[in-house]
Amino acid sequence: MGTLTLSASPFLWEQFLVGALDRDAGARPELHPILTRWSRSRMLGAPSTGLPDEGPSVGHLALVERRARLEPVWHELGGMMEVLAAAPLPSGRVALLADRDGVILATRTSGGDFRDHADAVRLIEGACWDETSRGTNAIGTALAEASSVAVVGPAHYAQRHHGLVCYAAPVHDPFGELVCVLDVTGPAGAADPLVLVAVASMAYAAEARLREVAWARVATAARGGLEARLAREDSPVLIVEPPGRVRHANGAARALLGDVASSGTGGVLGLSWPELKAAALRGESLEVRSSERGTPWRVHAEAVGEAGGGATLAVLVRLEPLVSRARAVAMDAPAPGSGPWAALKGRDAHLCATLREAARFAPTALPVLLLSETGTGKELLARALHSASAVASGPFVAVNCGALSPALLESELFGHAPGAFTGARSGGADGKLAAADGGTLFLDELAEMPPALQVLLLRVLEDGNYSRVGESRVRQSRFRLIGATCRDLDAAVRAGTFRSDLYYRLQGVVLRLPPLRERSDLGELAQALLAGLAEASGQARPTLSPAALARLAAHAWPGNVRELKTVLRLALVRASGSPVLDVNALPPELGRGPVSGAAAAPRPVESTPPPADEAAPRALRELEAHAIQEALAHSDGNVARAARRLGIARSTLYRMVERFGLVLPPRS
């Protein structure tokens, strides 16, 4: 609800009355606000002078009937009028309550000299102050425009009221209907803009109290059903009340609407309260867009009324994403290197098929399961899915289930209460589930989650409810889940290490990224990764020679894309800024059997090759150690310079040196 302050000079008022300003409203925009209101008063036939007995009045019995119709408002505003009337002004002021016809129903005065003047200009119970009777004035103009307004001195249309300053704010009932106006009037010489703020605040507080009373009359079961509906829905759901205020919103709605849902104002995707209310009463759905080129939405509206009554107290709004045919075709073939999929480089047919499937399901709320070998880019795909989803504006929270012990993983996911265990934070912690509310939760290495935690996760996926460790209070979080693992989940289910009910709950969409050894675009991918690594380290972009490409193609890549990036980072260091990265810059063992870097510790000959999930980390460790040694050698032992060549922090380099058992060379 906006506010408006109208002011003018006596000369301007005289010029208007004689018609000298009739052509100036358009040419002089600074005069437009007051001239528009005066013109409306003249059109309504309001007197421009004013007499002591001017305007209609209502008798005592009619006044009693009008007050009875506003009994709930009367009860809430009585004390507020006393507060507004109490002013430290020698001349005093009067607080008024008028109904929707502009008839004053009650007055409260602070005393002083102004009281007699208020009686003289008929600021009394039973007098009518609509614009037809008195022209531009705070009560009548607030009714006409449904907005808080201040009218100062000669801005009043009637000359008799030029000595007044009036502040008024409309009050709406819980169903959005304007029912009365709260007003404070005093002498024009005591004008204070803060009074308008106070009056508008009081009116807003009265509306909020009336809404709470109305909601209290709604059956408890109905309120519980609404809250359960919000918690159960994966799509954005809101409760909107007059005049377009968002009363409640689930996580998906908060992620979509942002400040609109959290601040409680602004309507829903540009739809006003009357539009939502009309759609709910007609049982029709509406189609809107979040922006000019944003996601199209179908808006389903359902009326919420008082028990036993027919009035619409609020509207339950559910938003369903719509994908037009043209957009669906575009999503079937996401352009490589563009949009949210830009981080997944390459044109391999299997990769493109996976991206097409990912793009098709990204706007839905279905859980996604990524089943791929380690190092193939599962987290990159998870982030791309989040960026293309309906909760893209919400948080993306990643948790590696294999990197934490079961106890720590439970605390990391669910949070913990103060003092829940030894070492717990004194203030407690909310956990990743709370952090992911309204966004995406990515659980990497999902198969490593212990069975007890699998049960807790299944409950959260069912209804969004969970409790922190060491706490009985039930909390709620709504998020889109993406799980990933390099394990065979079918085998894990058969072995009893992974719950079948959780597995089936997660099987909304299953996506597989091809391992690097099966991709047909190794050369293109290597060149793209090399360009990115060179740019990150501040070097010129080199190209790969045919011999280097052939050597890369000959390698089995057990560590997939992650291993390829490590090899290319090492090659950049060894190439020393050469514009062409040749085969001599690559690790000599690459593509010629098992990789064994200089830093690798000797190990006995094995009769059988290690499993893929063990060989990949081993190869990566050896390559990383080799890369560190090369960088330190080319940097003359300068750790800071070596870290810059590798594109990592100096502290990270120190940790890796210690992990691999390397010895820092003396600086030359």
Side-chain angles (χ1 to χ4, degrees):
M1 181 175 64
T3 60
L4 173 71
T5 298
L6 299 175
S7 59
S9 66
F11 176 74
L12 188 68
W13 179 79
E14 292 172 359
Q15 291 289 99
F16 174 81
L17 288 186
V18 299
L21 301 178
D22 290 349
R23 297 182 181 180
D24 284 1
R28 299 175 63 184
E30 74 276 7
L31 300 180
H32 182 266
I34 189 60
L35 295 185
T36 300
R37 277 76 185 183
W38 284 346
S39 297
R40 183 170 64 212
S41 299
R42 183 167 57 189
M43 182 183 64
L44 291 171
S48 60
T49 53
L51 298 172
D53 59 349
E54 66 182 344
S57 298
V58 299
H60 176 71
L61 290 178
L63 193 62
V64 171
E65 291 177 359
R66 287 175 180 268
R67 288 172 177 167
R69 289 198 293 266
L70 284 180
E71 183 177 358
V73 180
W74 182 276
H75 177 74
E76 298 301 332
L77 287 178
M80 296 182 180
M81 291 175 61
E82 298 287 354
V83 173
L84 291 174
L89 297 176
S91 55
R93 66 174 59 154
V94 60
L96 310 163
L97 180 66
D99 65 12
R100 61 186 177 186
D101 296 324
V103 175
I104 298 176
L105 303 183
T107 64
R108 298 289 187 273
T109 179
S110 62
D113 299 338
F114 182 72
R115 181 173 183 174
D116 294 336
H117 184 64
D119 291 343
V121 296
R122 296 183 64 79
L123 286 168
I124 58 175
E125 296 176 357
C128 183
W129 278 72
D130 64 1
E131 284 194 338
T132 301
S133 303
R134 300 179 183 268
T136 304
N137 72 91
I139 294 176
T141 305
L143 285 170
E145 303 187 13
S147 176
S148 300
V149 61
V151 181
V152 183
H156 287 86
Y157 183 71
Q159 185 180 28
R160 185 173 182 79
H161 305 144
H162 283 190
L164 304 176
V165 57
C166 309
Y167 312 91
V171 178
H172 298 80
D173 68 11
F175 313 106
E177 299 296 328
L178 197 160
V179 291
C180 65
V181 171
L182 188 62
D183 175 273
V184 170
T185 297
D192 185 350
L194 291 179
V195 178
L196 178 61
V197 176
V199 173
S201 298
M202 290 288 188
Y204 182 85
E207 292 178 344
R209 176 58 185 160
L210 292 173
R211 285 195 302 273
E212 293 303 321
V213 172
W215 277 102
R217 289 196 294 265
V218 177
T220 303
R223 293 201 306 273
L226 288 174
E227 294 172 359
R229 178 77 174 273
L230 264 70
R232 189 170 59 249
E233 292 277 359
D234 289 324
S235 57
V237 182
L238 315 92
I239 296 178
V240 183
E241 58 187 12
R245 184 182 297 104
V246 177
R247 181 180 179 89
H248 294 297
N250 66 358
R254 291 195 298 272
L256 172 66
L257 301 177
D259 293 340
V260 171
S262 60
S263 65
T265 58
V268 179
L269 298 177
L271 294 174
S272 65
W273 164 252
E275 290 173 317
L276 290 171
K277 179 180 176 181
L281 295 177
R282 292 195 304 264
E284 299 176 353
S285 60
L286 305 172
E287 293 187 10
V288 296
R289 284 185 178 271
S290 55
S291 62
E292 184 178 350
R293 296 187 178 181
T295 302
W297 296 87
R298 177 175 286 121
V299 180
H300 303 276
E302 179 181 331
V304 179
E306 289 194 56
T312 302
L313 179 62
V315 172
L316 182 72
V317 178
R318 182 171 62 85
L319 303 177
E320 174 190 357
L322 291 176
V323 181
S324 65
R325 184 173 184 82
R327 187 175 178 188
V329 171
M331 290 174 67
D332 276 345
S338 65
W341 319 101
L344 294 147
K345 304 182 185 302
R347 298 175 182 270
D348 175 74
H350 296 295
L351 173 67
C352 291
T354 296
L355 295 186
R356 284 195 296 270
E357 192 77 353
R360 184 178 294 114
F361 287 99
T364 72
L366 291 171
V368 179
L369 192 56
L370 307 181
L371 302 178
S372 302
E373 294 181 10
T374 183
T376 52
K378 295 188 291 293
E379 183 167 350
L380 290 178
L381 180 55
R383 290 184 180 276
L385 282 162
H386 170 73
S387 298
S389 71
V391 294
S393 59
F396 177 88
V397 179
V399 180
N400 190 324
C401 301
L404 300 169
S405 66
L408 286 178
L409 179 58
E410 182 180 6
S411 174
E412 183 78 3
L413 274 176
F414 294 88
H416 63 264
F421 50 84
T422 303
R425 296 179 186 174
S426 59
D430 286 338
K432 300 300 187 184
L433 293 182
D437 188 24
T440 298
L441 177 65
F442 174 55
L443 296 181
D444 200 4
E445 303 299 340
L446 185 66
E448 310 306 320
M449 180 177 288
L453 277 185
Q454 294 177 28
V455 176
L456 296 177
L457 177 62
L458 184 62
R459 179 192 174 190
V460 179
L461 295 179
E462 290 294 339
D463 56 15
N465 294 330
Y466 71 98
S467 297
R468 298 194 304 182
V469 176
E471 186 178 67
S472 59
R473 173 190 167 190
V474 177
R475 299 171 180 264
Q476 197 166 77
S477 177
R478 304 300 292 180
F479 51 83
R480 206 275 183 80
L481 179 68
I482 301 177
T485 181
C486 60
R487 302 285 188 182
D488 184 346
L489 279 188
D490 286 315
V493 170
R494 290 193 300 270
T497 59
F498 199 83
R499 295 182 60 93
S500 58
D501 47 4
L502 178 58
Y503 181 42
Y504 299 136
R505 181 68 173 80
L506 294 172
Q507 276 188 316
V509 184
V510 178
L511 300 175
R512 290 179 173 84
L513 287 168
L516 191 53
R517 62 183 175 276
E518 296 178 5
R519 290 178 58 164
S520 61
D521 59 349
L522 174 62
E524 177 188 352
L525 175 61
Q527 191 61 62
L529 293 175
L530 184 62
L533 292 171
E535 184 176 351
S537 60
Q539 302 180 45
R541 297 184 180 185
T543 58
L544 288 160
S545 70
L549 288 172
R551 180 68 63 85
L552 293 176
H555 189 60
W557 299 112
N560 291 295
V561 179
R562 187 181 294 125
E563 182 185 2
L564 175 59
K565 289 185 72 174
T566 302
V567 168
L568 294 175
R569 188 178 288 114
L570 169 63
L572 265 178
V573 175
R574 300 185 68 176
S576 300
S578 174
V580 178
L581 198 153
D582 206 350
V583 67
N584 57 2
L586 299 174
E589 302 82 4
L590 193 74
R592 295 179 179 177
V595 178
S596 56
R603 59 179 183 269
V605 177
E606 299 172 336
S607 58
T608 57
D613 56 354
E614 294 179 12
R618 181 180 303 162
L620 283 173
R621 287 195 296 270
E622 293 168 352
L623 286 169
E624 287 172 347
H626 197 174
I628 291 170
Q629 288 183 321
E630 291 281 347
L632 288 168
H634 282 83
S635 303
D636 297 327
N638 187 309
V639 176
R641 196 185 310 159
R644 285 196 296 271
R645 292 179 72 92
L646 291 169
I648 60 177
R650 184 170 58 178
S651 58
T652 302
L653 180 55
Y654 276 119
R655 286 197 300 270
M656 296 177 74
V657 166
E658 182 179 355
R659 186 197 315 161
F660 297 137
L662 303 178
V663 178
L664 291 174
R667 292 184 58 178
S668 58

